[in-house]
Every structure is written in structure tokens, then in C-alpha cells.
Amino acid sequence: AAGMFLRLLSDIQWRAAHPKWRRMTSSQRSTSTTPEPHPVSLPAQAQVVICGGGIMGTSVAYHLSKMGWKDIVLLEQGRLAAGTTRFCAGIVSTARPVSIELKMAHYSNKLYQQLEQETGVQTGYMKTGSISLAQTQDRLISLKRIASSLNVMGIPCEIISPKKVVQLHPLINIHDLVGAMYVPEDALVSSANVSLALATAASRNGVQIHERTSVSHVTVQKGRVTGVETDRGRIQCEYFVNCAGQWAYELGHSGEEPVHIPLHACEHFYLLTHPLKEPLSSSLPTVVDPDGRIYIRNWQGGILSGGFEKNPKPLFTEGRNQLEIQNLQEDWDHFGPLLSALLRRMPGLETLQIMQLVNCPESFTPDMRCIMGESPTARGYFVLAGMNSAGISYGGGAGKYLAEWMVNGYPSENVWPLDLKRFGTLQSSRTFLRHRVMEVMPLMCDLKVPRWDFQTGRQLRTSPLYDRLDAQGARWMEKHGFERVKYFVPPGKDLLDLDHSKTFYKPDWFDIVGSEVKCCKEAVCVIDMSSFTKFEISSTGDQALESLQYLFSNDLDVPVGHVVHTGMLNEKGGYENDCSIARLSKRSFFMISPTDQQVHCWAWLKKHLPDDSNLIMEDVTWKYTALNLIGPRAVDVLSELSYAPMTAEHFPSLFCKEMSVGYANGIRVMSITHTGEPGFVLYIPIEYALHVYNEVMNMGQKYGIRNAGYYALRSLRIEKFFAFWGQDLDAFTTPMECGREFQVKLEKGMQFLGQEALLEQKQNGVYKRFTMFILEDHDTDMDLWPWWGEPIFRNGRYVGKTTSSAYSYTLERHVCLGFVHHFDEKTGEELVVTTDFINQGEYEIDIAGQRFQAKAKLYPFSSLFTQRRRKDEVELSGYQRE
């Protein structure tokens, strides 16, 4: 059997490379469940314990030992590389749409290339290249967008014609293709052997590896990891790394303090054939046919082909699993559609003899991105799991970033899209995970146009106004499990058409959002923004103020009732959070953060706030419904509802006051809209939400009030050059780099986290600069739209990428926001970015390989603010993430 062949091959390679291994562990490698003797006892303590001997666990051990940490124990419940890693298809592909995943795969490829030379273990590395096929124009556009990203990273890549496909791979049927993408440096490896090579190098560096040792649970005291209980005794440790693959979920839940790791296994099938009459060349490129849902690689002169079917089979929902993954049942009926797709793509295989249909579990996550990082509830508990069938591609890079995170306190790249803290406990329901992975697995191949939404696991967190808004034509998207309105479909519009309008071009909601934006500028709109994260922090004395002054970059010692916009920075001056804080009383603060900050921000504050019983922090997100009233007539609506003057003299900008609205008391009203437009946000205790909303809509009718959604908000904030956290701002972006110096208390002689880094930037200059681009020769109706992640060129040279973009209905142009770098033309070294450097360049934005001229600006158009309520609202209004 092929599985046995792979297993024997790995064992032979491993023994050859590391003869003393047999003496350290068991002398025979049977699949029997009979316990085998353990000649070497476990150490009583270690700095790090890693659970899992697959590609992830061995990669973390390898990189930690490379960085100088030696006191490491790796535990594997079965044998090294005997889980998903052993049955992995071994395709190393860099063609990834998410930037951080692309970087991980690129690093992995380079690492595996030299691993055999470093360790003496044959890894089967073969640079074959890969061809991604496109059967439709939309698919080709998506490949062109990926190709643009690969090219600016220096990874060779080209869009090729169907004729070129046949030249590279003569067996491919090209009759239905419109083009393809060729990445010549993609590779094949033996996944199990790569894992064994990493283990060999780690072992030589002092890492202790123990097979047939099961972890029962991790002990946590006072929020910190203290040790690991195994079936062979306890190990005291400071750090624990959960690399348990499909068992990571169960292991996370095994302790008294659960660590939620949302992943779920599905069966994954691939076919192995005997060699062809003329055996395939080992250098033949791997073929990915996403429209056919299959991948094809050469294997021993024959074919290995698998795919991602439309009707996947989740398994182990109840937690049952096998110690080592034995080959699950063949299911030819289930594999039938993928086999048909393979024969359509390679008709010459009709007579080929099949060796085996391999079926093994792969773990998938709720958003198709892997999970890494430190637990928000247990310090020192790190996770690396949920690879969504790309474990070998990500293994090297993911292990490197996690090792950096553990040793330095942060990785060398922005890994927020992969951070465990992007999820909350709500994504850990087994029912949710089972249903979501049944959607996720087909999505691996589905065409993902901009702003697509998951369909499963919806209506989980909703505002009290959900049914009211839904009845008025709301179209929904989801953020951190919270339902939020995109836009409202007017009566008479074809809802079905709008729901299925998926395109890289001008979308069908264009005019709808335009009318909502117009209403925001001329009358008044209501946007339900209840999903924003809301914390209250208070103390018996001055502890709250003193602690927050150190953790936030702006001065919070303001009069009661004032709102401060501020960053929560790390030691490097980067944004861990970007929020608005209202001072409710001398000793009480109300903090509003982006929706997906709920877990991350709580963990950051818990980590840095003093352990003081007089200091109280409460998550009040669920207690308040937030209504954003945007527009010049918002002041009239609120004045009439509260019988209180709301003009600038009585209600200054960035002010917060508890008021009555209609019959409801205790409404927190803030003069801030997160868009630069005039207006207010009402934080309403949820029991009053429906009443206040009805009152606002009834009173607002004479002022032309209407509902609006987040797409309108996005257009408004981008044309005003407002940065949002998670898209434009991240842990590697400082206030100095995005024109936020005025929100930093550098001149006030107060110490705060990140201060030294900002002082250094102030003195030496910045190496990137947040810039606004207006597309000049772009036809909104006919040309491809920019969405995010498009390369920016200055005088024909690559200088950065866009971070967000939107159509400005006011300027009647597309606006892109992004960071400009200055790379030395000869050395590639990063140089300081000056105002002159920005202003003196000629810019282009690359959209799927086509470049459009753009005008760069470091400040927003002043004409956009002519209807503003007051000047300082423009400068200081909130910039949170949508």
C-alpha cells in the first residue's frame, strides 16, 4: 500500500540519519497499541514543552533551537510525523492570496531547499514549478491579482496562455482554459521526511524528543502555564506549544482553564496510481485546477491527485480519534466527481491502473486561515494548528514566526490575520465548527471575489434591532460573529440579483451605497454599530487613570465628559489597538474599540494592567446598542428628541454626555461619527434599543432620515483619509507613520508604552508613510476595481501596497490608502521616507497586472469638509476599524 510505502520510506530515512534514535526510543516501530518500553525517562522540568511531532511541532522545535533556546522537550503521542503530516500530498505552493501566508510559504520553500544538506536526511525536495489553471475570466483575474503580489516579492511568476500550459505539461487538456499562472519555483517534498529532518536538526541542537508519550492536560496557575501532565509523569515548564493538529481542540479543552482552538477535521481524499507506460518526469509541474476542484502532481512516475469536494465529510465531531491516523475507509462514490474532473483534465489517464485511494483527516478553521499565537487566557500557552490542508507549505514559516513570538515577544511580521485571538469562545461550538468546515472545504477552490461572506454559523451575535433592520431590506455581513449591515436594498429592487452579484468589477450595490452616502452628507442616516467592542475601566482611587496613561499614547487626563482618540501601542510604537476613550467620571472610563479587538484588547489589558483588586475592568459590549447618526440634520433630530440644545456651543466636539432620548434615560451620547461627517453616536442600554431607534426614525422622517450600512461608512472614512485598525493600522504601524503625531503626548513629559520608539522616529524619520491615492485614468464602469492589497509603483518602481480602498461618491474617483516605502535602487535597503519623496513621485496602482495612474496626497481634500459641524471633529474623530 502507498501509505505503508511512505511510512517505511520515512522510517528508513530517519534511522539512517539518526542511528542513536533507536536506542533513545523504541527498538521497533509497530502500529500495535501495546505499550513499548521507554528507556529514557522524561525530564522533571523544561523551559518549553511542545506537543505534536508533525511538521508544525518539529518546525517550532527546530526554530526555537536555532534561536538559542535549548531546554526543549517535544512529545509525540505516537511516532514522529505519523499524523496528517505523513499523508500530506507534499506540494509546496507560494500562490496564496493572503500576504502573510504567501510569506510563510516562500520561507518554507527556501528552508526545505537547504534542509537535506544541513541535516543529511533526504527530504525529496524537487523544484517542479506549479501551474494554476483558469476556466473563466474571473478566475484568471484572481490569478492575476496573486501574480502581482508574487512578482513584487521577487518570486518568479507569469500569466501564461493555454498553449504554454501544454508545452509545460503535455498531458493537460486545455480546450476549456482561458489562461493560467505559472510559478516555476514551487516544489514537491516528502512531508514526513521534512518533519524528520527538522527533528534531526532540533535533536542535534539539544531538543529532547520522546515518542509514544501522551499529554493529558496542561496545568495553569494564576493565568500562567506551570506544567504538563503526561501518561509518563509531569513536566514543569514555562511554555507549552499545542501543535497537536486535529487533536488541538480536544487538548485545549482538557485543562481546568480551557484554551479555545476552533478547528475541525474533515476527510480528505487523494488518488495514487501505478507509473504510466512512459513514467512521468519527476520535474513535471504540479497542476492546480481550482474550477475542477483538483490538484495533480507526479508520484513515482504515476499520478497523485486529490481535491476539495462540494460535499465534504466532517469527522470526529464527538471527539473520537485515532492515535495515529490509519487509513480511513475508501469511498469511491464520494471521490467520483473529483475523479471525473481529473479524467477531463488528463484524458490520457483513462487506462491508468489505480494503486490506492488515500483518505486521511485534515483540520480546517472557521475562516480558512491557520491558527497561531498565545492563548488570551493562559500566558505561556502557544498554539500552532489548523493548516487547512496547506501544512507543508506553511510549516517552515509558521514555525519560524511562532518561535520569534516566544523568544522576542513578537514575530517579525504582522501575523494578526492568523492570531488565535481573532476568535472568541463563540467559534468553539462543535456544531458551529462542523457546519462551518463543511462550507470552508469547498471554499478552498471556490472563486472568492472581494467582500464575499460565509453562509454558515450566521445570526449568532445580533443587535436587538436585527429583525427591524432585516425587514427594511438590510443585507448582512459578519464580523467576529456579529451581524452587521452592508447596505439596505430599496423596495422594488431585485434582492436575488444583488445577493449573487459577485464580481471584481463595479458591483450591483454601487448606486444603493451612493444614495446612502448622499443622505449622510445632505440629511441624516442611522447606522447600527453595536458590534464595536466596549469596555468600562474604573477604580476606587487614581489607579485607572495612572494605568491607562501608561498604556495609551494620548493624554487621558481630560475633563470629565471628554472623548480622547488614542492608540494602544506596543514597545515598538505599533498599534495593538486604536480606540476612543470617554472619561465618564474622575475614576471611570468608557473605551470603544474595533469589533475584532474584543479578545485581543482584553488580553493585552489583562497582561499589562497591575493586579489590583481596586482596579475593575468589565466587557460591556453586549450591554449597549450603538446607533451612529451621521449627517448635518443629526443635530436637529437629537435636539427634538431630548429637548436639549445639541449645537456646538452646548455640546462640543468629542464630548460625551448621558441624556434622555424619547422616554429612555441613561443614553450615552458622543459627538463623534468615525467618518469625519457631523453627527453623534448613541450608546443605548439594550432594553431601550428598539424604543430609541423607533423614536429616531419617526422624528427623522421630516429631515429625510434613512438607514445606512458599513459600505457607506467605508466610503466616507476612506475619502477623508481615515485609517482603520486591522486594515491600515497594525502592530507594525506607528502614529508617526500615519500622520497621527497630534494624538501622542510626547511633549507632556509622561511615560507611556512605545514612547522610546516614537521619540527615535521623531528624531530619525520614518521608513514608511501612510498615503492617499486618487486613481486618475480609471473608468469606474469598465475597469477592474481596486479592493485592497494592490501594489503601488512610484516612478515605475515598487514602493508598497494598498491597505484599503473605496469609491468616493464626492470626488467621483476611486481612493486607495496604503503605505509608501523608499527602497534603495541598488541595495534594496529601506531609506527614510520624506514628504518630498512622496510629493515628487509619479504613482501607479497595479490592479491584476494593469497599472492605473494615481495622484498621491498626504492630507485629505479640504473641500470634503465644507459641510462639517466643526473643525476639530475632522482632526480628532474616531478612526476605528469598520
Side-chain angles (χ1 to χ4, degrees), residues 437-507:
V437 297
M438 290 175 74
E439 178 183 13
V440 158
M441 197 168 163
L443 276 169
M444 303 295 290
C445 288
D446 287 352
L447 183 68
K448 290 175 282 295
V449 297
R451 302 192 186 169
W452 58 273
D453 302 294
F454 288 107
Q455 301 303 308
T456 53
R458 296 294 296 270
Q459 298 179 34
L460 188 58
R461 300 173 73 197
T462 59
S463 155
L465 306 176
Y466 179 88
D467 288 341
R468 282 297 312 276
L469 301 179
D470 197 55
Q472 295 176 78
R475 311 322 286 164
W476 300 93
M477 60 182 177
E478 168 255 334
K479 183 59 155 291
H480 201 64
F482 215 114
E483 295 294 328
R484 313 192 314 173
V485 181
K486 296 189 277 192
Y487 49 81
F488 286 83
V489 179
K493 268 275 186 184
D494 188 335
L495 304 189
L496 201 62
D497 275 0
L498 272 167
D499 279 345
H500 293 94
S501 63
K502 296 179 177 178
T503 177
F504 290 99
Y505 290 89
K506 178 181 176 180

Side-chain angles (χ1 to χ4, degrees), residues 188-368:
L188 296 177
V189 293
S190 162
S191 307
N193 289 4
V194 168
S195 189
L196 297 172
L198 292 168
T200 301
S203 183
R204 287 175 186 164
N205 281 333
V207 175
Q208 296 184 52
I209 301 176
H210 295 266
E211 295 181 303
R212 302 207 179 279
T213 306
S214 295
V215 174
S216 58
H217 67 274
V218 180
T219 55
V220 177
Q221 290 179 4
K222 295 182 179 177
R224 271 213 77 99
V225 167
T226 57
V228 176
E229 296 288 350
T230 80
D231 58 353
R232 295 174 55 203
R234 175 179 168 80
I235 306 176
Q236 283 186 297
C237 63
E238 297 173 53
Y239 298 91
F240 175 74
V241 190
N242 184 338
C243 296
Q246 61 171 323
W247 302 296
Y249 177 95
E250 279 80 14
L251 180 57
H253 279 254
S254 64
E256 292 177 11
E257 183 76 50
V259 174
H260 301 286
I261 305 166
L263 53 80
H264 196 294
C266 278
E267 295 182 32
H268 179 59
F269 296 89
Y270 62 76
L271 182 75
L272 291 165
T273 76
H274 289 285
L276 278 72
K277 283 182 181 175
E278 282 190 32
L280 289 179
S281 162
S282 60
S283 61
L284 209 59
T286 297
V287 174
V288 180
D289 182 3
D291 297 308
R293 318 191 74 80
I294 54 170
Y295 57 83
I296 309 161
R297 58 157 285 193
N298 68 74
W299 186 79
Q300 309 272 314
I303 288 291
L304 183 159
S305 178
F308 300 95
E309 61 274 24
K310 288 184 177 180
N311 55 332
K313 296 168 70 175
L315 74 169
F316 304 148
T317 303
E318 300 83 8
R320 292 194 309 271
N321 55 52
Q322 301 149 285
L323 184 66
E324 292 168 15
I325 301 171
Q326 307 304 327
N327 208 16
L328 297 169
Q329 294 298 307
E330 290 186 344
D331 188 340
W332 284 103
D333 290 340
H334 192 77
F335 190 72
L338 299 181
L339 180 59
S340 298
L342 170 64
L343 295 176
R344 277 196 305 274
R345 189 55 58 210
M346 296 179 74
L349 299 185
E350 286 279 6
T351 57
L352 198 60
Q353 198 175 357
I354 291 167
M355 181 187 290
Q356 186 186 8
L357 182 62
V358 179
N359 174 5
C360 73
E362 286 270 12
S363 55
F364 295 86
T365 64
D367 61 0
M368 295 190 296

Side-chain angles (χ1 to χ4, degrees), residues 363-417:
S363 55
F364 295 86
T365 64
D367 61 0
M368 295 190 296
R369 299 197 298 266
C370 74
I371 297 172
M372 70 160 63
E374 189 174 19
S375 159
T377 53
R379 302 256 323 263
Y381 190 123
F382 284 82
V383 177
L384 185 56
M387 293 296 137
N388 299 285
S389 202
I392 195 65
S393 292
Y394 298 154
K400 171 178 180 277
Y401 289 143
L402 195 78
E404 290 172 346
W405 203 331
M406 294 172 69
V407 174
N408 302 327
Y410 47 84
S412 56
E413 294 281 351
N414 172 36
V415 296
W416 170 248

Side-chain angles (χ1 to χ4, degrees), residues 73 164 179 242 434 448 543 602 634 637 702 798 879:
V73 175
K164 183 72 184 288
N242 184 338
R434 182 180 176 87
K448 290 175 282 295
Q543 299 95 328
W602 181 269
V637 174
K702 61 184 175 186
Y798 171 70
Y879 302 72

